[in-house]
Each structure stands twice: as structure tokens, then as C-alpha cells.
Amino acid sequence: MLEFMQQLVNGLSLGAIYALIALGYTMVYGIIMLINFAHGDIMMVGAYVGFFSISVLGSNIVVAMVFAMISCALLGVVIEKVAYKPLRNSTRIAALITAIGVSLFLEYTTLYFLTAQQRVYPASAFPLHNYEVFGLVISNKDIFIFMSAIILMIILQYIIKRTKTGKAMRAVSLDREAAMLMGISVDRIVSVTFAIGSALAAAAGVMIGLYYNAINPLMGIIPGLKAFVAAVLGGIGLIPGAMVGGFLMGVLETLVSGYGSSMYRDAVAFGVLILILLIKPTGLFGKNTGEKV
């Protein structure tokens, strides 16, 4: 039982990371019905921005995360304006192929300029300490990741539910044409959505660098796909669903690694995706109609 609880604790911090990435997927899909497969690579860029902020500028982990979030928010807006906006009225397959192209562009541009060398997050940025609570070993790293993710999710929920921008996002998600007739700028709302989603991905990138203690230009592929599975698990287009799906995916992965073999954790994640699509394609909280965001 103690080992099971330990795996749950480990899974919560990993699940928090997946949840943050999944939120970006689900927000973009809820607004413009696009699966942004470049989202995982935006996370990778955020991880590198955080790394250089720590190693070159000497900032602490919180400042590095904020810097990464701002940088990737700008990057997300630029990508939307350059790559996705011209295709907004095109077929979904055209936008999907473009997203894959943007993903490859980010990966191989980073490879070209920074090489494939794996970089280690400086230990001085976040000295590691372990605490024992009722027999469970909890590190300050896990606490920081979990609490940071929860704070960001609360801020996101406040923006969505309590601000004019959030209300406009929900209106565009529900009926874009009606929102335009009511004077809402759809272009601005889409840009804000990409900025917020990319900022959350950047925070997740810094957390992954902290969690695994290493980053590389192709690091966004697998976490990005698992976060997509998490978004589908909870119900693509639904913010609460992405949160729950991310935590479930993190716990499932740690349980598979702890009780089986870490070699099968990726297979199990994508096996879950297949089962969801077969049994309940709309996800745990998904509905066929209605407001998404």
C-alpha cells in the first residue's frame, strides 16, 4: 500500500506537467477546431529559454519560468499569425499538415542552432531536498511542480470564468459567427488563446527540465503526444477535462513504470487513446454539442 501511495505521489507531479500541456491543446481546439501538433515543440522552446535564463543570466527557477512563458506566448502568437491564420477557412487537413510542418520547423531549427547535444539543467537553480511524510518520500521538486501547475490552472480558470476576455473566448467557442455579430474580435481572441496556451506549455517545459534534469531539441514529441492523449481522455475542447486527463495520464504512467516496466509506459498511453476512441470518442467529460471552453 505504501508503494502504491508513493507511485501516486510521483504521478501527481508528472500529471501536472501533462495537464498544463493538454490545456494548450484543448484551448486551441475549443476555439478554432485545430489540433496544434506544434504545441509540444513550443514546450521544448520554453525549456531551452528557461535553461539559458538560468545558466546565462543566472536567474532562479521562478524567474526562468516567467521569462519562458512570456517568450513562448509571443512565439505562439507569431506562429498563429504566420502559419494558421491564412488557413483558417481552409480544410482541417490543410491546417493539420501545417501544424506538423511547424512542429518539424521548430525541432530542426533548434537542432541546427543548438545541436542535438543534451543539456542538463543547472543544479544550482533548484537544490534538491527530500522530505519523509508518513513513510512517503516527497521531494521539494515535486512539490514545486505540483503547486506551480495548480496555481497556473487556478489563474487560467479565473481568466476563463471571470474576465471579459475569458467570456469572449467562451462565446467564440460556442458560436463564432454570433460572437462576431456581437462585436467580439475573433482574431484577437484566437491570438490570446495561442498566447495563453503557449505560455502554459513553456511553464511545462521548464518543469520537465526540472523533473528529468535534461532537455534536447526532440524532447517535445512524446510529452506532447501524451498530453494530446490526456486532452482526448478528458474531452478535447474542455478545460476541466484536460486537467483531469493530464493527472490521470501521469498517475497511469508512474503505475505502469512502478509495477511493470518503464519500457511499456508509452505503449500503455497510446493504448488508452485507442480505447477512448473506440468506447467514448468524446472523452470522459465530452459532449457532442455545447460550449467547449
Side-chain angles (χ1 to χ4, degrees):
M1 185 62 182
L2 186 62
E3 182 182 353
F4 177 76
M5 294 300 297
Q6 184 68 63
Q7 296 300 333
L8 286 181
V9 170
N10 296 338
L12 286 176
S13 57
L14 182 60
I17 296 172
Y18 288 152
L20 286 179
I21 307 172
L23 284 169
Y25 277 112
T26 210
M27 287 176 64
V28 171
Y29 184 85
I31 298 295
I32 60 174
M33 305 292 285
L34 168 69
I35 302 296
N36 181 20
F37 278 120
H39 195 62
D41 297 294
I42 293 175
M43 179 210 74
M44 175 270 296
V45 173
Y48 271 96
V49 172
F51 170 80
F52 285 113
S53 177
I54 295 169
S55 59
V56 177
L57 302 179
S59 60
N60 60 40
I61 193 69
V62 175
V63 174
M65 186 180 294
V66 172
F67 187 43
M69 291 175 70
I70 294 172
S71 300
C72 286
L74 295 174
L75 175 62
V77 172
V78 170
I79 289 173
E80 190 276 324
K81 294 293 185 186
V82 174
Y84 298 143
K85 184 178 178 180
L87 300 174
R88 198 172 294 169
N89 297 319
S90 301
T91 60
R92 290 191 187 182
I93 191 66
L96 181 63
I97 292 172
T98 301
I100 296 172
V102 172
S103 172
L104 293 172
F105 175 79
L106 291 175
E107 289 171 12
Y108 287 95
T109 300
T110 307
L111 273 171
Y112 179 80
F113 286 105
L114 300 178
T115 74
Q117 176 187 354
Q118 185 166 275
R119 287 173 167 81
V120 177
Y121 256 57
S124 59
F126 200 90
L128 184 63
H129 300 288
N130 291 325
Y131 307 98
E132 188 170 337
V133 182
F134 301 113
L136 300 175
V137 178
I138 305 174
S139 69
N140 59 340
K141 175 181 68 176
D142 292 332
I143 295 173
F144 173 79
I145 291 173
F146 181 77
M147 294 306 300
S148 297
I150 293 298
I151 290 170
L152 290 173
M153 291 176 194
I154 292 173
I155 293 173
L156 175 63
Q157 281 294 89
Y158 177 81
I159 292 172
I160 296 296
K161 300 296 183 182
R162 301 294 181 182
T163 66
K164 289 184 178 180
T165 298
K167 293 177 182 178
M169 290 170 68
R170 287 185 282 142
V172 173
S173 171
L174 184 62
D175 192 324
R176 186 188 305 180
E177 288 74 19
M180 292 176 64
L181 292 174
M182 295 300 293
I184 295 174
S185 173
V186 174
D187 288 342
R188 185 181 71 85
I189 294 303
V190 172
S191 295
V192 169
T193 302
F194 268 86
I196 294 174
S198 299
L200 294 176
V206 174
M207 291 178 187
I208 283 186
L210 190 63
Y211 188 88
Y212 291 111
N213 203 35
I215 59 173
N216 64 78
L218 302 180
M219 63 175 283
I221 299 174
I222 296 300
L225 289 175
K226 288 181 180 177
F228 172 66
V229 174
V232 174
L233 174 60
I236 189 74
L238 294 166
I239 286 177
M243 295 178 186
V244 173
F247 283 111
L248 288 176
M249 187 59 58
V251 170
L252 178 64
E253 181 172 325
T254 54
L255 289 177
V256 171
S257 300
Y259 290 99
S261 172
S262 60
M263 294 179 62
Y264 299 117
R265 61 185 184 182
D266 295 343
V268 170
F270 299 118
V272 168
L273 175 61
I274 295 172
L275 288 176
I276 296 166
L277 295 177
L278 289 174
I279 299 172
K280 199 175 188 299
T282 56
L284 296 177
F285 306 105
K287 298 178 181 180
N288 292 325
T289 59
E291 183 178 327
K292 298 180 180 64
V293 173

